[in-house]
């Protein structure tokens, strides 16, 4: 199915640099992301993966002293253009965080529905349908369908993270940013989430940060290697892992594989 | 494969954010308005007095509604005197109980004791006053009667008794001390809890006894925070009204004996307000302004000390 | 480390032993003194309770809650007028206290980078240090002097002003305890900040805010000082906040300083009821805090 759809660049970073105060955390990143793919961002700790990811859905807008330069095009439109509303951008580009962060006062159902409900969607039937659909997409439906009204905080860590994925999916973003979504989870939960990604990319384009090389190799179509704020290499995952062009990429990958 | 349900489009943008922020800032500025309004109302309410007496109002004594002549110094002095005396009694007890809660009591005892101290802080001032009138004052009256029967004692200026009413400086100081203790105690408790574990452990490792650890490791470390807490308590004591007004005797003069009736800024405002008008009313509001300034200075000092000298900055 | 210099461990064995036993003795002595001091601190609590119960409980009956003040000479009467006045004024005050206090707290916690934040924070601290009686004078000069009329509304305003800084502080603190990842999760769903604040953050902080409000209620429902010049007190039953109004602490004060034993009786009973009201509010605050943990 993926193969038959024409390659469409949905997201394009052009000369993106990100500054915390005067310090540049990310420099001159150029990156094209094709729709309905999974793209892994790898690199040593502190190299700017999270920083870059947060620039894509304008999350840096809410932290003072943070500046993004260059262009990030979503379907050809610069999301940092003056007439773009960050709120609308974030609805189109969702995010899943490193640690599961369900809304503590809400039930499982309300968590998943929150993005729509709080934005004014009242229609019960639509909400019910989308909650079920999103929970199924996140492979959580069977486990929680009998206790949708119970507090979300009663779920296990792995379930909570899948709930957060369902919550992000419920607003039906075009792109889903995932920042080390499995780093706080046990191997089993990790495997379940990895399995999800292949299914999810039918509906949404995924950018996933990971420290786990095997994970990147298993789930992603393309891989980008970051080092101290620079995008060193970007390409198809097979090529990056078997035949990296850059010495530094090779060093990092082989170092990791041991 | 079932058809994918499409989420309906939503139109909620960030437009409301500006409005919301505007409302929040407006309401937050209302808090500033309360403060500015307070200064304005106190100054304009006391204007008649300030313009008549000028700075002399602050620095002379002789408050006499009968002569329609007013001055603040004796009240300022009495206010500071009662508060400081009360703190002298309260601080050692308060710090001791804070040490008890944090260092001595096992958990099952520390919690309830801590809670009881909190309850003490919650008792309304007027109830302390009521208790002081009906329980403490008769006891102190008993002391006064004994002194009256003993001319030698009565000849000592500090212990001289004029009228054995049971109401006067000592009664006010004692009730004020009781009222301030829980406040000082809970700040001291919080400060002592902030003393890092390694401070204690280093001392214990050297074979120090519990008391030595407290005296040589914990208290020196917590000193600044406790001092800040004491000054905050002073601020509390200065403005304490009802209990003091009920037992201090309300006489516009400096006490020379611990049993003399006197009046603080707050107590004279509370007790003379009912029958006042004209210049007297303006002077009472002027006294309120002085009390306002006094608490302001004391609070700033305390917060400056706490912010500077405690590692994490206690929230009070 | 500094201990090493102070604990002199040199000397002969017997000297050390002697010193050790005196150190032990002073350790025990200090423990005893500290325990006794703690007991002294708590005695007034029990003494006051004993006094209020022994003097007040016999007067607490149906009449106390259903009757208002009776003139001198007549026996009986109750404090209905004062109870109603207190509830009404504290209720009105809470509207001001919650509105301004929670908004102030939201501003301090959710707009941390705004340049006004340090100022509002400072002013709120300063306000919390202003004596209650001064706040009474302020509202007196502001409302009563201009309208030439004492009123329950003026009293409620003074009490409300006193509540504000308490609610600001607790709201700010509990909002700051809500993890920032929850905020980010809300924003990342494409919800505007105001919606996230009102529908996600505030609910997560509710129990903490309730604690703050109840503490403020407990504090102001016992305040008489700011009411003397604002609500003024009223011996007749009055539920209209536009007129002078009675309040529990105010009536207790007026009855206690009166020369009449019959009034003293009412003051004692009123004090018992008031202290129960105040402690209940404190208890609710504590329970709400517990739930948060
Ligand atoms: N809010 C901030 N203010 C200042 N510097 C920051 C901030 N956040 C991150 N940085 C710095 O920017 C650089 C990149 O950080 P970033 O969090 O993007 O790294 P990362 O690749 O996600 O690392 P990790 O793998 O550990 O999550 C780091 O040097 C970090 O110290
Ligand atoms: Mg990161």
């Amino acid at each position: 199915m993926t193969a038959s759809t024409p390659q469409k660049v949905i997201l394009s970073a052009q000369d993106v640099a990100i500054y915390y105060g005067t310090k540049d955390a990310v420099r001159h990143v150029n990156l094209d992301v094709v729709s309905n793919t999974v793209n892994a961002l790898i690199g040593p700790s502190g190299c700017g993966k999270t920083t870059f990811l947060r620039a894509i859905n304008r999350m840096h807008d809410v932290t003072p002293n943070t500046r993004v330069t260059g262009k990030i095009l979503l379907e050809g439109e610069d999301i940092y253009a003056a007439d773009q509303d960050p709120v609308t951008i974030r609805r189109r580009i969702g995010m899943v965080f490193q640690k599961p962060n369900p809304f503590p006062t809400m039930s499982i159902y309300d968590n998943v529905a929150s993005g729509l409900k709080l934005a004014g969607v009242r229609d019960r039937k639509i909400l019910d349908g989308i909650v079920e659909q999103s929970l199924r997409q996140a492979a959580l439906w069977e486990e929680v369908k009998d206790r949708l009204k119970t507090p979300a905080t009663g779920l296990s860590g792995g379930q909570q993270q899948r709930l957060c994925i369902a919550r992000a999916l419920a607003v039906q973003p075009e792109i889903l940013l995932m920042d080390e979504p499995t780093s706080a989870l046990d191997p089993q939960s990790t495997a379940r989430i990895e399995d999800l990604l292949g299914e999810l990319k039918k509906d949404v384009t995924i950018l996933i940060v990971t420290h786990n090389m095997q994970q990147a190799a298993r789930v992603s179509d393309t891989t980008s290697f970051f080092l101290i704020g620079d995008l060193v290499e970007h390409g198809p995952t097979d090529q990056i892992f078997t035949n990296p062009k850059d010495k530094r990429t090779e060093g990092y990958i082989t170092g990791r594989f041991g | 494969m079932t058809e994918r349900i499409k989420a309906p489009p939503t139109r909620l943008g960030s437009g409301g954010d500006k409005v919301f922020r505007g409302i929040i800032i407006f309401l937050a500025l209302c808090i500033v308005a309360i403060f500015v309004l307070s200064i304005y109302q106190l100054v304009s309410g006391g204007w008649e007095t300030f313009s008549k007496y000028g700075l002399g109002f602050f620095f002379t004594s002789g408050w006499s509604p009968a002569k329609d002549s007013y001055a603040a110094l004796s009240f300022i002095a009495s206010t500071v005197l009662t508060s400081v005396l009360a703190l002298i009694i309260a601080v050692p007890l308060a710090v001791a109980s804070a040490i008890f809660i944090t260092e001595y009591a096992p958990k099952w005892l520390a919690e309830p004791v801590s809670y009881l101290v909190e309850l003490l802080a919650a008792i309304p001032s007027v109830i302390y006053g009521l208790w002081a009138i009906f329980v403490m004052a008769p006891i102190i009256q008993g002391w006064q009667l004994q002194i009256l029967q003993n001319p030698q004692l009565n000849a000592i200026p500090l212990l001289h008794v004029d009228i054995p009413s049971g109401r006067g400086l000592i009664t006010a100081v004692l009730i004020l001390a009781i009222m301030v203790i829980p406040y000082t105690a809970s700040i001291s408790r919080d400060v002592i809890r902030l003393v890092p574990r390694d401070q204690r452990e280093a001392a214990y490792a050297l074979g120090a006894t519990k008391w030595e650890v407290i005296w040589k490791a914990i208290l020196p470390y917590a000193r600044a925070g406790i001092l800040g807490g004491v000054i905050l308590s002073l601020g509390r004591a200065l403005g304490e009204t009802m209990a003091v007004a009920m037992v201090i005797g309300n006489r516009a003069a400096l006490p020379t004996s611990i049993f003399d009736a006197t009046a603080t800024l707050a107590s004279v405002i509370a007790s003379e307000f009912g029958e006042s008008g004209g210049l007297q009313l303006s002077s009472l509001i002027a006294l309120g302004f002085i009390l306002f300034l006094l608490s302001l200075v004391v609070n700033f000092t305390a917060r400056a000390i706490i912010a500077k000298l405690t590692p994490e900055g206690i929230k009070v | 480390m500094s201990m090493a210099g102070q604990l002199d461990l040199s000397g002969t064995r017997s000297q050390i032993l002697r010193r050790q036993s005196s150190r032990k003795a002073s350790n025990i002595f200090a423990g005893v003194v500290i325990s006794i001091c703690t007991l002294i601190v708590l005695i007034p609590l029990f003494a006051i309770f004993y006094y209020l119960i022994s003097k007040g409980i016999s007067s607490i009956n149906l009449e106390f809650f259903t009757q208002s003040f009776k003139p001198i000479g007549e026996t009986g009467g109750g404090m209905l007028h004062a109870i109603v006045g207190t509830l009404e004024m504290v209720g009105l005050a809470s509207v001001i206290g919650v509105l301004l206090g929670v908004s102030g707290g939201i501003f301090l916690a959710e707009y941390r980078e705004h340049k006004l934040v340090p100022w509002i924070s400072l002013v709120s601290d300063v306000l919390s240090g202003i004596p209650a009686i001064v706040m009474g004078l302020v509202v007196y000069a502001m409302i009563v002097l201009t309208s030439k009329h004492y009123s329950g509304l003026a009293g409620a305003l003074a009490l409300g002003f006193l509540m504000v800084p308490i609610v600001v502080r607790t709201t700010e603190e509990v909002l700051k305890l809500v993890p920032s990842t929850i905020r980010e999760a809300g924003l990342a769903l494409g919800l505007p900040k105001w919606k996230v604040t009102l529908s996600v953050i505030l609910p997560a902080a509710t129990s903490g805010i309730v604690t703050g409000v109840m503490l403020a209620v407990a504090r102001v429902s016992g305040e008489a000082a700011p009411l003397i010049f604002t609500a003024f007190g009223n011996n007749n039953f009055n539920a209209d906040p536009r007129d002078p109004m009675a309040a529990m602490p105010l009536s207790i004060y007026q009855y206690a300083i009166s020369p009449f034993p019959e009034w003293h009786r009412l003051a004692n009973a009123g004090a018992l009821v008031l202290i129960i009201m105040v402690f209940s509010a404190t208890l609710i605050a504590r329970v709400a805090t517990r739930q948060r943990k």
Side-chain angles (χ1 to χ4, degrees):
Chain A
M1 194 169 141
T2 328
S4 63
T5 37
Q7 297 248 313
K8 183 185 103 181
V9 172
I10 184 166
L11 186 83
S12 169
Q14 300 183 350
D15 204 25
V16 170
I18 302 156
Y19 302 83
Y20 291 116
T22 52
K23 181 187 157 229
D24 54 342
V26 168
R27 284 176 297 271
H28 310 298
V29 169
N30 287 289
L31 177 68
D32 282 348
V33 175
V34 172
S35 74
N36 301 95
T37 56
V38 175
N39 302 268
L41 308 181
I42 60 170
S45 187
C47 67
K49 304 180 297 290
T50 299
T51 303
F52 179 65
L53 210 62
R54 290 167 64 89
I56 298 176
N57 67 343
R58 293 192 60 168
M59 220 50 184
H60 288 305
D61 288 22
V62 294
T63 43
N65 293 325
T66 311
R67 206 155 47 85
V68 179
T69 62
K71 279 185 180 159
I72 296 179
L73 307 181
L74 173 62
E75 295 191 320
E77 282 183 61
D78 185 3
I79 64 167
Y80 281 93
D83 61 343
Q84 294 284 357
D85 186 343
V87 167
T88 317
I89 297 297
R90 291 190 201 117
R91 201 170 307 136
R92 295 175 64 190
I93 307 179
M95 190 165 208
V96 173
F97 298 79
Q98 187 166 356
K99 287 214 188 82
N101 53 1
F103 297 140
T105 48
M106 294 184 194
S107 66
I108 294 171
Y109 181 98
D110 283 340
N111 258 282
V112 180
S114 57
L116 294 172
K117 235 172 143 176
L118 297 181
V121 177
R122 292 276 138 71
D123 189 325
R124 198 76 219 176
K125 256 175 62 190
I126 293 184
L127 286 176
D128 285 350
I130 289 183
V131 166
E132 178 175 347
Q133 170 177 293
S134 309
L135 283 169
R136 279 190 194 283
Q137 280 182 301
L140 190 60
W141 175 252
E142 293 301 329
E143 288 157 69
V144 299
K145 66 180 177 196
D146 298 322
R147 50 165 169 155
L148 291 173
K149 296 290 168 199
T150 60
T153 42
L155 296 174
S156 76
Q159 289 173 326
Q160 286 188 15
Q161 189 66 308
R162 276 179 281 145
L163 178 71
C164 293
I165 294 175
R167 180 178 65 187
L169 290 174
V171 291
Q172 302 189 345
E174 293 151 58
I175 297 177
L176 187 61
L177 310 171
M178 306 177 101
D179 192 358
E180 303 184 41
T182 60
S183 67
L185 304 183
D186 62 296
Q188 235 174 342
S189 306
T190 302
R192 298 207 62 162
I193 288 175
E194 283 181 11
D195 290 344
L196 277 179
L197 300 183
E199 277 294 308
L200 283 180
K201 72 177 174 186
K202 287 177 199 154
D203 298 319
V204 58
T205 308
I206 293 167
L207 273 82
I208 180 171
V209 171
T210 177
H211 275 287
N212 181 329
M213 290 307 112
Q214 289 98 325
Q215 184 170 69
R218 271 196 303 268
V219 302
S220 69
D221 301 305
T222 68
T223 296
S224 313
F225 172 59
F226 281 78
L227 191 64
I228 345 175
D230 290 310
L231 172 55
V232 172
E233 191 169 350
H234 169 73
T237 300
D238 296 345
Q239 177 243 308
I240 296 278
F241 277 88
T242 53
N243 188 17
K245 294 203 185 84
D246 197 291
K247 275 261 160 31
R248 293 168 293 178
T249 315
E250 185 176 6
Y252 181 70
I253 288 167
T254 51
R256 280 301 170 114
F257 283 137
Chain B
M1 199 170 129
T2 50
E3 192 60 26
R4 186 164 181 238
I5 307 168
K6 282 293 285 176
T10 51
R11 262 168 286 122
L12 196 61
S14 60
D17 279 345
K18 278 212 181 77
V19 180
F20 182 70
R21 198 181 62 175
I23 295 172
I24 290 290
I25 291 178
F26 171 77
L27 291 172
L29 284 176
C30 286
I31 300 172
V32 179
I34 297 177
F35 178 68
V36 176
L37 204 73
S38 301
I39 297 176
Y40 171 76
Q41 295 293 358
L42 292 172
V43 171
S44 69
W47 193 248
E48 200 182 334
T49 298
F50 290 130
S51 53
K52 175 152 192 224
Y53 296 106
L55 278 181
F57 183 72
F58 296 80
F59 300 116
T60 56
S61 48
W63 173 279
S64 167
K67 294 188 212 143
D68 206 25
S69 152
Y70 306 95
L73 188 62
S74 80
F75 301 120
I76 300 175
S78 274
T79 303
V80 174
L81 181 69
T82 36
S83 301
V84 169
L85 287 179
L87 280 181
I88 290 174
I89 300 171
V91 170
L93 290 167
V95 174
S97 71
I99 292 174
F100 181 80
I101 290 170
T102 50
E103 305 295 324
Y104 278 90
K107 208 171 154 42
W108 61 265
L109 187 60
E111 278 252 336
V113 171
S114 198
Y115 184 53
L116 290 177
V117 173
E118 257 177 59
L119 282 187
L120 265 173
I123 297 178
S125 174
V126 66
I127 293 183
Y128 277 110
L130 180 87
W131 183 72
I133 286 185
F134 295 117
V135 178
M136 270 173 61
I139 295 174
I140 288 172
Q141 196 172 30
W143 300 352
Q144 289 176 320
L145 290 172
Q146 274 180 349
I147 288 174
L148 277 179
Q149 280 166 4
N150 186 337
Q152 265 174 324
L153 268 183
N154 203 14
I156 304 171
L158 258 184
L159 296 179
H160 179 74
V161 175
D162 266 333
I163 312 153
S165 65
R167 301 184 189 187
L169 179 66
I170 182 80
T171 325
V173 166
L174 287 178
I175 197 68
L176 201 48
I178 293 175
M179 296 175 69
V180 166
I181 283 173
Y183 197 64
T184 319
S186 71
I187 300 176
S188 307
R189 181 196 61 198
D190 292 348
V191 173
I192 292 174
R193 279 197 181 140
L194 278 186
V195 176
R197 190 175 270 271
D198 55 358
Q199 287 281 320
R200 275 162 239 247
E201 279 168 2
Y204 276 122
L206 287 165
T209 62
K210 183 166 220 147
W211 173 242
E212 284 163 344
V213 171
I214 292 167
W215 189 246
K216 288 175 180 160
I218 295 178
L219 284 182
Y221 193 91
R223 196 168 44 200
I226 294 178
L227 179 65
V230 168
I231 297 177
L232 272 182
S233 312
L234 176 65
R236 263 289 161 96
L238 291 173
E240 191 45 63
T241 310
M242 301 317 293
V244 174
M246 288 160 92
V247 293
I248 201 166
N250 292 310
R251 187 181 63 114
L254 268 179
T256 54
S257 148
I258 58 167
F259 295 111
D260 278 353
T262 179
T264 64
L265 290 163
S267 83
V268 71
I269 298 171
S271 58
E272 283 192 12
F273 194 85
E275 59 263 26
S276 70
L279 188 59
Q280 186 183 5
L281 177 60
S282 165
S283 301
L284 288 173
I285 297 178
L287 291 184
F289 184 61
I290 295 176
L291 183 54
F292 175 89
L293 291 181
L294 216 53
S295 350
L296 218 62
V297 170
V298 168
N299 265 286
F300 267 119
T301 315
R303 282 175 204 283
I305 289 178
I306 290 177
K308 258 226 171 73
L309 298 180
T310 53
E312 293 175 43
I314 314 281
K315 283 277 161 113
V316 262
Chain C
M1 291 126 250
S2 60
M3 300 293 303
Q6 289 157 14
L7 291 183
D8 184 6
L9 295 175
S10 64
T12 65
R13 206 183 136 74
S14 70
Q15 274 175 327
I16 291 175
L17 283 179
R18 219 175 312 127
R19 208 180 299 130
Q20 288 244 332
S21 69
S22 94
R23 284 173 57 208
K24 251 189 206 141
S26 63
N27 187 38
I28 293 171
F29 180 71
V32 171
V33 169
I34 284 173
S35 308
I36 292 175
C37 286
T38 309
L39 215 59
I40 294 176
V41 165
L42 294 180
I43 284 174
L45 180 69
F46 298 113
I48 289 172
F49 251 88
Y50 173 76
Y51 170 80
L52 290 180
I53 290 175
S54 65
K55 297 282 176 180
I57 197 120
S58 59
S59 307
I60 294 185
N61 46 31
L62 197 62
E63 190 183 5
F64 181 88
F65 292 103
T66 54
Q67 301 278 303
S68 289
F69 176 80
K70 289 247 176 81
I72 310 157
E74 292 178 39
T75 52
M79 290 189 87
L80 178 67
H81 61 310
I83 295 173
V84 168
T86 285
L87 292 179
E88 219 170 296
M89 282 193 281
V90 171
L92 288 170
S94 302
V95 176
I96 301 167
V98 170
L99 183 67
L100 295 188
V102 172
S103 306
I106 290 179
F107 182 63
L108 295 186
E110 302 296 320
Y111 295 90
R112 268 172 250 190
E113 65 281 5
H114 198 282
K115 59 184 184 301
L116 281 176
V117 161
W119 294 101
I120 306 274
S121 176
L122 181 73
V123 168
S124 165
D125 277 352
V126 167
L127 274 185
S128 72
I130 296 182
I133 188 156
V134 173
M135 210 42 107
L137 281 179
V138 168
V139 174
Y140 170 80
M142 185 169 97
I143 306 278
V144 180
L145 268 187
T146 48
S147 72
K148 312 253 179 275
H149 197 61
Y150 294 102
S151 67
L153 277 177
L157 197 63
L159 297 184
F161 286 175
L162 289 171
M163 287 179 75
V164 168
I166 307 176
V167 181
V168 169
R169 237 344 126 223
T170 34
T171 304
E172 181 196 359
E173 271 168 27
V174 292
L175 286 180
K176 283 186 172 169
L177 285 183
V178 177
S180 60
T181 55
I182 301 291
R183 283 179 189 84
E184 295 190 337
L187 295 173
L189 285 177
L191 296 170
K193 177 167 180 160
W194 67 271
K195 197 76 196 175
V196 174
T197 305
L198 289 182
S199 304
V200 178
I201 309 297
L202 270 190
T206 307
S207 68
I209 295 173
V210 169
T211 304
V213 172
M214 288 321 288
L215 285 178
V217 163
R219 157 99 198 274
V220 301
S221 50
E223 285 287 0
L227 299 180
I228 302 176
F229 344 110
T230 52
F232 193 69
N234 191 339
N235 278 336
N236 300 314
F237 181 89
N238 167 41
D240 183 349
R242 286 169 300 181
D243 287 327
M245 229 178 194
M248 295 288 283
L250 201 52
S251 301
I252 293 168
Y253 169 62
Q254 285 158 350
Y255 296 166
I257 60 172
S258 79
F260 315 113
E262 178 64 16
W263 291 17
H264 294 169
R265 186 183 68 77
L266 279 177
N268 288 326
L272 183 57
V273 172
L274 179 62
I275 212 169
I276 290 170
M277 280 164 60
V278 168
F279 281 3
S280 313
T282 320
L283 199 70
I284 295 175
R286 228 183 140 76
V287 170
T289 316
R290 278 263 166 75
Q291 270 179 349
R292 181 157 35 120
K293 282 170 187 165

